[in-house]
Amino acid sequence: GLKESAKLKARYPKIKIVVFTAMPDAAFVEEAREAKVDSFTYKNVSTADLLSILRATLQGVSNFPESTA
């Protein structure tokens, strides 16, 4: 989960981490940001959008859903 992602980022800062989840909770998105993950998406994303997110993340562009709060 996010705790392990934070540990990985601390140990390997250049690693790219994308969270792929079914949890539509705005607090979870914020927790992911705090864990320093690079991108975050939901499981209902299309294949084309997922590939776009992965490619952008590899190029250094973060992607997070807009806050619902």
Side-chain angles (χ1 to χ4, degrees):
L2 294 178
K3 288 181 183 179
E4 294 305 314
S5 294
K7 289 178 187 178
L8 280 170
K9 284 301 273 192
R11 185 160 185 184
Y12 306 102
K14 292 183 179 181
I15 195 170
K16 301 296 183 188
I17 298 177
V18 177
V19 172
F20 189 59
T21 186
M23 294 178 59
D25 182 351
F28 192 62
V29 174
E30 288 308 310
E31 289 175 31
R33 286 182 192 274
E34 291 170 9
K36 306 289 187 214
V37 303
D38 297 282
S39 292
F40 184 106
T41 191
Y42 297 112
K43 288 187 177 181
N44 63 350
V45 70
S46 71
T47 301
D49 286 343
L50 177 59
L51 288 172
S52 177
I53 290 166
L54 293 173
R55 288 183 183 121
T57 301
L58 286 172
Q59 294 175 357
V61 178
S62 291
N63 183 5
F64 286 84
E66 291 186 28
S67 177
T68 56

